[in-house]
Amino acid sequence: MKIEPIIKGVVARSAHPAGCEQAIKNQIAFVSRSKMITQGPKRVLILGGSSGFGLASRIALTFGGAKADTLAVSFERGPSEKGVGSAGWYNNIYFKQQANKVGSKAINIIGDAFSETIRQQVIDTIQQQFDGKVDLIVYSLATGVRPKPNSDEMWHSAIKPIGETLTGASVNIEHDSWHESELPPASDQEILDTQKVMGGEDWESWIDFLINHDAIAPQCQTIAFSYIGPQCTHAIYHQGTLGRAKVDLHQTSHALNLKLAAFNGGAYACVCKALVTKASVFIPTFSPYVLALYRSMKDQRLHETCIEQMQRLFNSKLYPAPVVDGERLIRMDEWELKESVQRQVAQILPKLNETNFKQLGDYQGFKAEFMQLNGFDIEDVDYEQEYSLNELKSLTP
Ligand code: NAI
């Protein structure tokens, strides 16, 4: 069979193995010619390491100067009679192949990072492969659900405004179309549940778990990713349920910073730029802003993708020493928030509508990045190649 893109709404239901492999190689090539990371970590645990910022961290830390060994946890689908599997599944496989070629360890654990079983597997692996300790923990999970500990129930996040109904548009990637919608304000329960899923509680419980298992190396750092954005995004993000969860994450970074001070280490929330990822395309009414932002940042030659953000984070803002703002946040969104960038966004965004969003906004770039996340539309990939299910199943992460 040939592997074709299958997109439902804003979700990719197929992925191209050779495209994922090429995307990993392209990212490795990028970090290899970038400013190197100095005094970086050697043993890194990445929670959510198969796509987006987590995968980009992994590539940067192994190939961008630190030569780190990595252990990544992710929740991905392998090939089966139902489909070829997810891009993250293939990213894990091809990252590991490339890392092993240069003598770096790359261990993939696939399963639910919220479960006790996976925690135990992580600690066993750290003991067996990393001399019992890690120097950096990257917390990069993005999910809509979190199981309640010792229960069969789940918390579900609800991406909604708080206090007022929000009207706005979202883009449908499957049909290249624009849809206006109304989002009612979140209930108090939805606000709390979103905080449970996307806030800092699970990050803190992971660090506590690692401390209790004596797995924290001297000078160990931990980071998690956040977003603040300009005023025009605040109703859906910063002042909505997601923003409440992120504020909780920021507060958690301070609590964890105190805990890791005992190891001469630290904990930081890194505020990143808005980017197309599997998780971000899901945020209702957010895509028009991303279309305007991409147009503006590309015009001003300031556009970065996940890999550029992560290489810059590790080579300039976390190592050799953390660089923080007045609220102890690491700011990777300073180019997004530049006055010149936001001035251009403010000119484009109010004009966008269903007839012109592909011309005025950078829909082409937005969609290309989405396709590339799933291994499609990448140069030098043979999309005519035939695969058998057995052949795909023989690739193991
Ligand atoms: P992503 O969807 O590309 O990656 C999420 C990762 O989490 C994947 O590796 C996935 O397998 C893993 N995962 C999800 N549920 C899991 C589970 N139960 N167990 C194990 N692994 C699981 O997401 P992205 O965009 O890289 O998000 C990472 C973080 O960055 C999030 O906290 C997000 O809010 C933040 N962020 C994202 C921005 C964006 O524009 N994409 C901007 C600023 C922050």
Side-chain angles (χ1 to χ4, degrees):
M1 61 175 170
K2 262 188 232 161
I3 300 177
E4 307 278 354
I6 305 171
I7 299 164
K8 294 284 167 223
V10 292
V11 179
R13 298 260 183 242
S14 68
H16 201 282
C20 293
E21 180 176 19
Q22 188 61 44
I24 298 268
K25 287 183 179 165
N26 293 348
Q27 292 176 75
I28 293 173
F30 169 77
V31 299
S32 308
R33 57 174 192 267
S34 302
K35 177 181 159 191
M36 290 283 109
I37 302 164
T38 51
Q39 298 174 41
K42 292 291 172 213
R43 296 160 296 181
V44 181
L45 168 62
I46 304 169
L47 300 162
S50 61
S51 66
F53 286 118
L55 173 65
S57 301
R58 197 178 195 193
I59 295 171
L61 290 164
T62 296
F63 292 95
K67 299 196 167 98
D69 293 327
T70 58
L71 161 56
V73 181
S74 62
F75 202 63
E76 301 292 347
R77 259 188 345 270
S80 72
E81 276 61 32
K82 289 187 192 153
V84 291
S86 57
W89 178 267
Y90 295 101
N91 291 337
N92 284 334
I93 291 168
Y94 293 114
F95 175 81
K96 182 177 177 173
Q97 279 185 7
Q98 295 299 321
N100 289 168
K101 273 190 198 161
V102 296
S104 294
K105 287 182 189 168
I107 302 141
N108 296 314
I109 294 184
I110 298 175
D112 186 359
F114 298 116
S115 71
E116 289 307 317
T117 327
I118 294 295
R119 276 176 200 221
Q120 198 51 51
Q121 275 186 39
V122 166
I123 207 72
D124 292 346
T125 310
I126 291 173
Q127 280 160 359
Q128 287 155 16
Q129 304 277 347
F130 286 180
D131 293 330
K133 305 231 189 287
V134 288
D135 307 301
L136 171 69
I137 302 112
V138 177
Y139 187 88
S140 190
L141 299 180
T143 172
V145 289
R146 174 181 164 207
K148 297 184 182 176
N150 308 318
S151 148
D152 293 335
E153 289 178 23
M154 301 271 200
W155 287 294
H156 291 262
S157 63
I159 307 180
K160 287 187 173 177
I162 293 176
E164 282 179 15
T165 297
L166 173 67
T167 31
S170 303
V171 166
N172 177 310
I173 302 174
E174 179 185 359
H175 299 298
D176 300 320
S177 55
W178 172 274
H179 297 270
E180 301 281 346
S181 61
E182 257 196 9
L183 280 177
S187 65
D188 289 347
Q189 192 59 48
E190 286 173 323
I191 298 171
L192 283 175
D193 287 358
T194 307
Q195 185 174 316
K196 286 285 182 190
V197 180
M198 296 292 287
E201 193 174 78
D202 182 63
W203 182 24
E204 182 157 20
S205 78
W206 264 101
I207 302 303
D208 287 342
F209 177 79
L210 294 166
I211 292 174
N212 293 339
H213 286 80
D214 200 18
I216 300 288
Q219 279 110 47
C220 177
Q221 316 261 29
T222 185
I223 55 170
F225 301 113
S226 182
Y227 184 71
I228 294 178
Q231 184 69 37
C232 61
T233 62
H234 283 184
I236 189 58
Y237 210 113
H238 189 52
Q239 284 160 4
T241 51
L242 276 177
R244 286 284 175 91
K246 292 303 186 190
V247 167
D248 183 65
L249 193 83
H250 300 177
Q251 283 162 354
T252 303
S253 76
H254 304 317
L256 292 179
N257 198 47
L258 291 175
K259 291 183 184 179
L260 291 186
F263 303 84
N264 288 322
Y268 303 92
C270 304
V271 184
C272 292
K273 150 186 201 293
L275 272 169
V276 176
T277 64
K278 193 170 74 177
S280 69
V281 291
F282 230 86
I283 304 173
T285 76
F286 194 63
S287 38
Y289 170 71
V290 179
L291 298 185
L293 180 72
Y294 271 37
R295 173 69 76 219
S296 166
M297 291 189 86
K298 285 183 185 177
D299 279 359
Q300 299 186 34
R301 299 187 176 279
L302 292 170
H303 182 65
E304 294 177 300
T305 61
C306 287
I307 193 65
E308 285 135 344
Q309 282 258 294
M310 291 303 101
Q311 183 67 13
R312 192 160 70 83
L313 166 65
F314 295 121
N315 71 21
S316 305
K317 301 249 180 161
L318 189 63
Y319 302 107
V323 180
V324 294
D325 72 2
E327 292 174 46
R328 234 184 47 80
L329 298 168
I330 296 183
R331 300 306 293 256
M332 298 306 302
D333 60 344
E334 73 279 53
W335 298 351
E336 170 175 357
L337 296 182
K338 252 177 158 287
E339 210 267 332
S340 61
V341 169
Q342 288 303 323
R343 197 175 338 114
Q344 193 175 345
V345 167
Q347 284 161 3
I348 300 168
L349 192 55
K351 293 188 194 139
L352 291 184
N353 61 37
E354 63 179 331
T355 53
N356 65 19
F357 73 96
K358 292 181 199 154
Q359 290 79 42
L360 291 186
D362 181 26
Y363 182 67
Q364 213 187 347
F366 176 96
K367 183 156 183 183
E369 274 185 25
F370 178 84
M371 298 303 283
Q372 287 161 6
L373 291 176
N374 299 295
F376 298 103
D377 291 1
I378 295 177
E379 270 183 40
D380 301 327
V381 175
D382 176 11
Y383 289 106
E384 297 303 310
Q385 191 181 333
E386 298 277 344
Y387 291 87
S388 72
L389 191 55
N390 281 343
E391 190 186 340
L392 294 177
K393 282 184 177 168
S394 69
L395 298 166
T396 50

